[in-house]
Amino acid sequence: MEQSLIDTFLLEAREQLEAMENGLLRAEGGDCDEECVNAIFRAAHTIKGSGGMFGFEPVVRFTHTMESVLDRVRDGEVPLGSELTGLLLDCCDHLGLLVEETAAGREVDSAAASLGSQLGARLGAYLDQAPVVAAAPAATVPPARPAGSTLGVPSFAADGGGALAVTDNWHLSLRFGREVLQNGMDPLSFLRYLGKQGEIVGLSVLDDNLPALADFNPEECYLGYELSYRSALDKAGIEAVFEFVRDDASIKILPPRSSVDRYVALIAELPEDDLRLGRILVDCGTLTENELAEALKEQQAAPAARRPALGEILVQQQAVQPEVVAAALEKQKSATAPQKSTIRVDAEKLDHLINLIGELVIAGASTSLTAERGNPVAMLEAASTMNRLVEEVRDSALNLRMVEIGDTFHRFQRVVRDVSKQLGKDIKLVIDGADTELDKTVVEKIGDPLMHLVRNSMDHGIEPAAARLAAGKPAQGTLRLNAYHDAGSIVIEVSDDGGGLPKEKILKKAEERGIVAPGQALSDREIFALIFEPGFSTAEKVSDLSGRGVGMDVVRRNIEALRGAIEIDSAAGRGTTMRIRLPLTLAIIDGFLVGVGKESFVIPLDLVVECVELPNERGSSNHVNLRGQLLPFLRLRDQFEMEGESRGREQIVIVQFGEQRAGLVVDALHGEFQTVIKPLGSMFSGLAGISGSTILGTGEVALILDVPNLVHKVVRETEQRHVEQSACAVR
């Protein structure tokens, strides 16, 4: 079995499991209507059907019992109460394990198998009888072959219209109705049963009715089947196999040695309306694959001007009766225009495309530089046009990677539900900004940090119901996930309405561990930031959720690896907000090019507020008066210990990250610059103030400034001086 097919099954199964879990969580919250119940049933049914197609029997057996219970829920025979919902959520988890292990070709361990048996027994209590667990079939169906290929199909003797098929096999033409899956029937199970009662000599799958991907419904059946079947059953016995699906299928059965007329009639009844002649003849059992190949070979060998029709060759070879060819040609005339098709884009190919576009951006910058030096008007106009097109292509390509963060947020519904029960707290999750888009790579890497923050908020932040009531709060705590765009960044907030961070306790613990000196003056923001120190914890006892001081330092490290930052706002008795700021994309950005000496630096343009000259009369202070407000600044020359002095008037680039604003002093301003972000490599990964590099049009390397880090450094030093000055004034 091709690994790509199994990967597709896994992807779809995970999506269905997520849909099932979301529906069950809605049901547990009392917000599940009839459509919600149907969605849960469809998810289970789709997994069962897909698992059956791949022969994953453990998945099929377990899901069948779930499906039986859900069917009774749909019919109103069993209420979907909290007890059943909890059981189905446990079954959903176990089904996810079965899907992963079975698809990987592994057997579940004894503990998981025992859990599956217990869950099955509990499900059985909701049925009128014991859980229905289908045994694995004794025989399997031969692998489905592409449409147009058949084994052991009949051939015909050319002795007139009453010719008989020279074969001892039955020919079955099966077309299941679109809604057969929704009605609880699995077409593949009928094929398996046929395999137990006889031998499927040849099997051809027709996929002509498959719609475009955008119109595809996994709960509908689009395939048709042509079978060459050998069995001791009579026609009544074969028809009995399909007794339960008779209303949802079209079943045509041709006995061994049927007349040509019957095959002509079968061709006319085929529902597919876009079939080629050779394919029709093979699919209906009139022609073998080898006979078709020989006829096509002879057709191609003939001169193009006098090339005979395929049907003519087949009749001359006495491979097919003329009546059958005529019927096939008539069928072919009704062919319709092919439907549009769509494909999934491989993420690796998409990354390659973005890399190519990055190289195009560099080439565009080089063209602009050449045009500026030569200064011909026509060349400048051409360069301007190319740069505009490059920006449009860049934006279009990057948009392909943009996904909504809502899918990530909604996964925490289950986390909040399970952890709140484990802690004995009543906590609800509120989600805002689910339609906010950001880079797919960022979404994939932010999941673990968010998990730590959510669990910590529930464990440390939100108080038990008794403590909340005593504080005049509602017994139910609220955890909120929010996302929004701000100044070219994506902001993700994890907020709770709990007791807030214990500032004094954090500071005392930090002094005990030697992280800060006793009596050292720190701002509230600096105190809150101490919880990100490795091994730091204020928990008095270790639990399954927290207390070991592992996690928050990893959170900060993972966020900084995404060129982001995290900050904390907390108020005693009112709650805490963890605010993560991340770049929208990790690939290409609009930059602002500046110079310091002979070196060039790039500042992300979205963070630039304005540029002004640095006044000479400012004295030795590292602040500047900007329209009546003091603005702290940092000289890049001093930050990176660069030699030399500025030869002209220095410029100050005012940048803002979140609510913090600072100035970066440079020697020259070179203007906007499309920036392809290149990693620095492991050797320079710890370089403070630098987040990456890029290549200029001249081929030189420019460093990309880590603005959040630099702004925090300036603001932190300013706040530290204010705290020290206040402490001195008190003494």
Side-chain angles (χ1 to χ4, degrees), residues 541-556:
K541 61 179 181 179
V542 175
S543 69
D544 293 338
L545 294 174
S546 60
R548 301 185 185 275
V550 178
M552 295 303 286
D553 62 317
V554 177
V555 168
R556 183 172 63 178

Side-chain angles (χ1 to χ4, degrees), residues 142-186:
R145 297 175 174 269
S149 64
T150 309
L151 295 174
V153 294
S155 58
F156 295 84
D159 58 355
L164 300 177
V166 185
T167 175
D168 292 326
N169 300 333
W170 294 83
H171 185 87
L172 279 63
S173 182
L174 309 178
R175 300 295 186 276
F176 294 93
R178 286 284 183 91
E179 299 180 354
V180 65
L181 297 173
Q182 300 174 22
N183 293 333
M185 298 298 177
D186 181 5

Side-chain angles (χ1 to χ4, degrees), residues 446-730:
I446 199 61
D448 287 343
L450 283 179
M451 179 68 73
H452 280 294
L453 296 180
V454 167
R455 292 166 71 95
N456 272 4
S457 292
M458 298 176 68
D459 192 14
H460 295 300
I462 298 178
E463 316 95 325
R468 292 179 62 85
L469 291 173
K473 295 182 179 181
Q476 185 182 58
T478 299
L479 180 68
R480 186 181 301 273
L481 291 176
N482 185 26
Y484 56 91
H485 292 289
D486 180 49
S489 300
I490 178 74
V491 180
I492 302 174
E493 294 180 341
V494 180
S495 306
D496 65 69
D497 64 347
L501 292 178
K503 187 169 57 174
E504 293 76 12
K505 192 173 182 180
I506 293 174
L507 185 58
K508 180 180 178 182
K509 194 73 173 182
E511 292 176 351
E512 292 175 356
R513 297 194 56 223
I515 298 176
V516 297
Q520 181 178 348
L522 297 175
S523 65
D524 288 353
R525 182 162 291 176
E526 289 176 319
I527 294 174
F528 295 148
L530 293 173
I531 67 173
F532 295 110
E533 293 296 324
F536 189 89
S537 175
T538 59
E540 298 179 355
K541 61 179 181 179
V542 175
S543 69
D544 293 338
L545 294 174
S546 60
R548 301 185 185 275
V550 178
M552 295 303 286
D553 62 317
V554 177
V555 168
R556 183 172 63 178
R557 188 162 60 247
N558 290 347
I559 291 173
E560 290 176 349
L562 293 172
R563 305 203 323 273
I566 182 170
E567 56 190 33
I568 303 174
D569 288 334
S570 185
R574 293 202 302 257
T576 302
T577 296
M578 303 281 184
R579 187 175 295 107
I580 303 172
R581 289 184 177 271
L582 296 166
L584 289 177
T585 178
L586 303 178
I588 304 174
I589 62 172
D590 286 324
F592 188 73
L593 190 63
V594 299
V596 179
K598 296 181 180 180
E599 301 299 328
S600 298
F601 297 91
V602 176
I603 304 173
L605 186 61
D606 289 332
L607 304 180
V608 176
V609 178
E610 60 178 314
C611 301
V612 297
E613 282 191 357
L614 186 65
N616 289 329
E617 64 276 7
R618 59 178 177 78
S620 59
S621 171
N622 62 342
H623 287 73
V624 64
N625 187 334
L626 182 66
R627 294 185 289 274
Q629 293 184 346
L630 285 180
L631 177 77
F633 64 80
L634 172 73
R635 273 190 168 84
L636 293 185
R637 185 183 296 276
D638 297 337
Q639 169 67 22
F640 300 117
E641 300 178 358
M642 300 173 63
E643 298 179 354
E645 295 290 336
S646 176
R647 298 181 180 179
R649 292 290 296 271
E650 292 177 302
Q651 308 291 325
I652 182 167
V653 181
I654 301 169
V655 294
Q656 181 169 336
F657 183 75
E659 298 178 356
Q660 298 177 335
R661 181 177 291 197
L664 303 177
V665 178
V666 301
D667 294 345
L669 307 175
H670 298 312
E672 297 183 17
F673 177 74
Q674 293 183 50
T675 305
V676 181
I677 301 173
K678 302 286 186 181
L680 286 173
S682 57
M683 183 179 297
F684 304 101
S685 59
L687 189 59
I690 300 296
S691 63
S693 63
T694 188
I695 301 175
L696 303 178
T698 60
E700 298 173 334
V701 175
L703 298 177
I704 302 173
L705 296 179
D706 183 357
V707 173
N709 182 286
L710 295 175
V711 170
H712 285 163
K713 177 181 180 181
V714 176
V715 174
R716 187 168 57 249
E717 290 176 351
T718 302
E719 290 179 347
Q720 184 65 34
R721 280 193 294 270
H722 288 167
V723 171
E724 291 175 355
Q725 292 171 1
S726 300
C728 291
V730 172

